Amino acid sequence: MPSLHDATRGRILFGGDYNPEQWPEEVWADDVRLMKEAGVNSVTVGVFSWAMIEPRPGVREFGWLDRLMDLLHSHGMGVVLATPTSSPPPWMGALHPETLPRADDGTVVGYGSRQHFCPSSPVYRGYAKALTEDLAARYADHPALTVWHINNEYCTHCWCDESAAHFRRWLAARYGGIEALNSAWGTAFWSQRYDNWAEVLPPRRAQYLRNPAQELDFKRFTSDALMECYTAERDIVARHTPHIPVTTNFMPLWAGQDAWAWAGQEDIVSVDVYPDPSDPRAGQYNAMIADMTRSQAGGPWMLMEQAAGAVNWRPVNHPKPAGLNRLLSLQSVARGADALCYFQWRQSRQGAEKFHSGMLSHAGENGRVFREVKRIGAELSLIGARVTGSGVPADAVVLHDWDAWWSSTQDGRPSSLVSYTELLQAWHGGLWDGGISADFARPDADLSAYRMVLVPQLQLLKDAAVDNLVSYVRGGGTLVCGFFTGVVDEDDRVRAGGMDSRLRELFGIRTVHEWWPLDAGATVECDGFSGTLWSEEIEADEQAETVAAYTGGELDGLPAVLRKGTAYYVSTLPAPEALRALLGRVAAGAGVRPVLEDLPSGVEAVRRGELLFLLNHGGSRTTVTLRGSHLDLLTGDVADGAVELGRHGVAVLEEVPA
Ligand code: GLA
């Protein structure tokens, strides 16, 4: 199987989406000159080129792309070549309106933007496959081709009749008979029983709350339907070029694709990451997405898109202050990225993204953004050979699962203030604040390599995952589990007792009497800390130890944090500092150490291979004390005992033997 290694060959890939069809060809020469100046070695081409390549049905216009591929190759650039199938040309929607997706209320999603295709449409799929076939045949032997990039950020949901028929086929394969579907969906409720398959629909707009199990299956189905589109194109390019790795770019924390399942279908796992420059936790967010993507990849991963400056899709789009692009870029490398790319190379002058930054901004080659890009390119070439292919050691792992996420987003739950992704971020943030490196894993994965497992929240747990957690703890592992976990089974059916009985036994919970969600901004006092969002009325068994109790209020004296052996249950969301302290104490007991002790506030330390990265998110200059001498690969300086880090500063250190 080809891999990212086949594309990097000891260098970090550096570059970005390149959309030269937006510019006259004279500009291309300037582009490649400046790319070389910036140390760019890889560009992603063709992402939105369908209408240029196929201006009318069946016609092929490859001349411009031939010239572009040759030009890029002659300047030493590798090409990540995209199948342009995420944005069908207007002719398709005009000729075949059934290829356009429909919203849950039947509204047609028109063309004129992008991603306007029904994933179940055989007509769309047919055109996409035909174009992919010709593209792959044409460039299979082109020396610039390094990676295939299929489509772009698969995200469409469709409720049309074609999707309904496809959904029924998917359901029939899952359940066999209609009575099994009725049982899984609990259709005895509200007279929803289906008598035959023809009656079954996607969860369309309805009078009141929709069936949650139907919604859960529709999310599973949509992820699978999109994946069929991906694998169809992947199989075509892989047949032409078995030696070239294939990827499709994920959106981070995007509910629409079960990334664990998708990652298993890719040679390279890639992601698009856009931390908000004005968010004081941008560094933690970037770290979390890196850890997640590395875990999905099982090793080095590709940062397919980030922004050199501002994006254009937030209510207020802040630029990156000087140094932040470099800090977040090197942080991604520290956490396993072997490719660091941007959306996009040259900032657009027209279209919906003309105010979205580029590596080469409207300010041009003398602009601050481009100067920083050049610096990053130069620095990557200094460290590339030392980092590519190497791993990021972690003794802790955070469990993350799409089924659990989907089930937690439904209407009709105890509190709509609880957000699965915010809980993930809070718990990963507790580790990050404590300087502890972590991977992510799915709940049924082999966890034996980790000393500590964290479950921020897994509302839905399949039986196999429950067994996995129980045997992990029985085998001596330390488990810390957040509230409202193990509540429903695979069909979204509430488990007897409101929490799986094996889990209750594991944590020392006799009964969860009631869930007590909190209002926005409200807190619940516990021994030594405040909890937010949630609390629970728990009756513990004799073997459980109350680590912290609720104080005052309805739950006074009842356990807030409970422990039985090495299994901990946390029935509220402790305030950030308290969560950090709790996870730090449990980690110490499990033998999980921070990468470095006693770091100044805001400084992150990460080990990758033999190197130690120090990253200053703190906002002001600081000094890190270190034992022994270290060579900073970025400056060539040797530091004895201490390293200075400027605002947004980074050091990439190698220990110098005494
Ligand atoms: C996504 C897309 C790009 C671009 C950027 C803007 O990541 O893949 O085409 O629209 O967003 O941030």
Side-chain angles (χ1 to χ4, degrees):
M1 292 276 281
S3 68
L4 182 51
H5 175 74
D6 296 298
T8 58
R9 299 178 191 282
R11 306 156 311 159
I12 295 170
L13 296 188
F14 183 58
D17 278 25
Y18 181 36
N19 297 302
E21 59 268 49
Q22 296 175 13
W23 301 88
E25 283 198 29
E26 308 85 82
V27 176
W28 300 4
D30 211 36
D31 282 328
V32 285
R33 172 181 69 81
L34 292 170
M35 283 173 186
K36 287 187 88 159
E37 208 177 301
V40 166
N41 54 29
S42 174
V43 289
T44 303
V45 164
V47 178
F48 296 112
S49 304
W50 196 340
M52 287 283 290
I53 298 173
E54 188 174 9
R56 282 166 298 284
V59 170
R60 298 289 182 258
E61 298 276 3
F62 281 124
W64 68 276
L65 192 50
D66 293 349
R67 293 193 293 285
L68 181 69
M69 295 285 285
D70 293 348
L71 176 75
L72 290 167
H73 178 61
S74 69
H75 287 80
M77 306 294 150
V79 171
V80 177
L81 186 55
T83 63
T85 52
S86 76
S87 194
W91 57 252
M92 195 182 304
L95 262 182
H96 307 285
E98 73 278 18
T99 61
L100 296 169
R102 279 180 190 264
D104 67 347
D105 64 356
T107 314
V108 176
V109 177
Y111 50 87
S113 179
R114 66 179 189 188
Q115 283 145 336
H116 45 272
F117 61 89
C118 163
S120 299
S121 162
V123 176
Y124 162 77
R125 288 184 179 200
Y127 277 114
K129 283 203 286 197
L131 182 57
T132 300
E133 186 73 49
D134 291 353
L135 190 75
R138 185 144 191 121
Y139 298 108
D141 298 322
H142 199 287
L145 176 67
T146 54
V147 175
W148 283 109
H149 175 303
I150 304 295
N151 201 281
N152 189 67
E153 293 189 339
Y154 278 104
C155 62
T156 324
H157 285 59
C158 179
W159 285 259
C160 76
D161 288 345
E162 188 70 56
S163 296
H166 191 192
F167 185 41
R168 284 192 285 273
R169 293 196 296 278
W170 184 93
L171 290 166
R174 181 177 175 88
Y175 294 111
I178 195 76
E179 285 314 332
L181 176 135
N182 279 312
S183 163
W185 287 10
T187 56
F189 183 80
W190 283 351
S191 178
Q192 291 174 356
R193 182 184 170 277
Y194 294 96
D195 200 49
N196 61 68
W197 285 104
E199 296 166 359
V200 178
L201 292 172
R204 291 185 176 153
R205 185 168 165 184
Q207 182 64 21
Y208 184 44
L209 302 179
R210 298 184 283 205
N211 181 316
Q214 180 186 10
E215 293 207 73
L216 175 60
D217 270 345
F218 188 63
K219 288 178 172 133
R220 290 169 170 151
F221 157 76
T222 299
S223 177
D224 286 358
L226 287 168
M227 193 153 73
E228 285 174 14
C229 296
Y230 163 75
T231 53
E233 293 183 29
R234 178 207 60 190
D235 290 350
I236 293 170
V237 299
R239 175 161 44 74
H240 285 276
T241 53
H243 57 292
I244 299 285
V246 186
T247 188
T248 181
N249 50 339
F250 290 150
M251 284 186 273
L253 285 185
W254 167 245
Q257 291 165 288
D258 176 346
W260 294 118
W262 281 69
Q265 301 291 331
E266 297 181 273
D267 301 320
I268 295 173
V269 178
S270 64
V271 71
D272 304 342
V273 198
Y274 292 98
D276 184 347
S278 71
D279 176 3
R281 300 291 284 173
Q284 186 266 321
Y285 174 82
N286 206 52
M288 176 176 69
I289 302 307
D291 292 347
M292 209 174 266
T293 312
R294 181 184 70 249
S295 305
Q296 285 153 3
W301 54 282
M302 178 166 193
L303 201 172
M304 185 66 85
E305 294 179 22
Q306 60 173 345
V311 298
N312 68 323
W313 40 261
R314 293 195 171 98
V316 177
N317 296 294
H318 295 273
K320 286 183 170 164
L324 187 62
N325 177 13
R326 173 174 178 263
L327 173 66
L328 296 175
S329 294
L330 289 167
Q331 183 193 34
S332 296
V333 173
R335 291 180 178 267
D338 274 3
L340 199 73
C341 305
Y342 292 81
F343 178 83
Q344 59 178 332
W345 161 251
R346 186 186 278 274
Q347 184 169 18
S348 298
R349 298 264 300 277
Q350 291 182 291
E353 295 184 323
K354 61 184 182 295
F355 297 123
H356 190 294
S357 61
M359 299 167 81
L360 185 62
S361 72
H362 293 153
E365 60 187 288
N366 297 316
R368 172 176 70 77
V369 170
F370 190 62
R371 283 207 303 275
E372 188 165 331
V373 163
K374 284 198 288 190
R375 179 175 182 195
I376 297 167
E379 292 184 335
L380 294 181
S381 68
L382 293 175
I383 61 173
R386 299 297 306 279
V387 296
T388 47
S390 61
V392 181
D395 289 329
V397 65
V398 181
L399 302 191
H400 172 34
D401 179 58
W402 264 258
D403 274 311
W405 183 2
W406 289 328
S407 90
S408 77
T409 57
Q410 288 156 349
D411 293 333
R413 60 190 194 272
S415 169
S416 57
L417 300 181
V418 177
S419 148
Y420 176 86
T421 53
E422 285 173 19
L423 290 174
L424 267 189
Q425 191 160 0
W427 282 63
H428 179 275
L431 290 180
W432 189 76
D433 289 337
I436 294 170
S437 296
D439 289 337
F440 281 83
R442 55 198 301 168
D444 55 358
D446 178 1
L447 303 171
S448 56
Y450 299 101
R451 291 172 180 271
M452 182 182 181
V453 172
L454 270 60
V455 176
Q457 182 184 69
L458 293 170
Q459 172 173 327
L460 183 156
L461 269 184
K462 296 180 189 168
D463 288 342
V466 173
D467 292 340
N468 197 36
L469 295 183
V470 171
S471 60
Y472 173 74
V473 173
R474 300 265 179 266
T478 296
L479 171 67
V480 194
C481 180
F483 60 79
F484 210 56
T485 290
V487 174
V488 300
D489 69 9
E490 174 160 12
D491 297 331
D492 209 38
R493 183 187 290 108
V494 176
R495 290 181 179 276
M499 182 192 217
D500 183 90
S501 58
R502 290 159 295 175
L503 286 184
R504 274 187 275 135
E505 157 74 21
L506 192 68
F507 297 122
I509 296 173
R510 183 168 294 128
T511 312
V512 180
H513 290 287
E514 293 272 18
W515 300 298
W516 290 76
L518 306 183
D519 286 323
T523 55
V524 58
E525 292 316 305
C526 311
D527 292 321
F529 68 90
S530 301
T532 57
L533 274 180
W534 193 268
S535 54
E536 288 183 6
E537 187 179 344
I538 290 176
E539 183 182 329
D541 69 23
E542 297 75 32
Q543 292 144 25
E545 175 195 329
T546 298
V547 176
Y550 292 108
T551 57
E554 289 290 340
L555 305 182
D556 187 41
L558 294 180
V561 180
L562 199 62
R563 163 190 192 172
K564 186 165 160 187
T566 56
Y568 293 76
Y569 184 72
V570 186
S571 67
T572 182
L573 178 65
E577 176 50 32
L579 186 58
R580 185 200 66 73
L582 172 69
L583 295 178
R585 277 198 306 278
V586 177
V592 178
R593 317 267 357 134
V595 174
L596 286 183
E597 310 271 355
D598 301 324
L599 282 172
S601 148
V603 174
E604 172 187 4
V606 188
R607 280 193 200 286
R608 182 165 186 205
E610 300 161 346
L611 303 179
L612 173 67
F613 286 69
L614 297 179
L615 304 130
N616 183 10
H617 302 275
S620 54
R621 171 170 290 279
T622 190
T623 305
V624 179
T625 313
L626 289 174
R627 239 176 284 161
S629 296
H630 291 81
L631 169 68
D632 186 341
L633 299 185
L634 300 180
T635 60
D637 296 341
V638 174
D640 275 316
V643 176
E644 291 288 319
L645 293 174
R647 179 168 185 252
H648 298 139
V650 182
V652 182
L653 303 174
E654 174 184 36
E655 211 170 329
V656 180

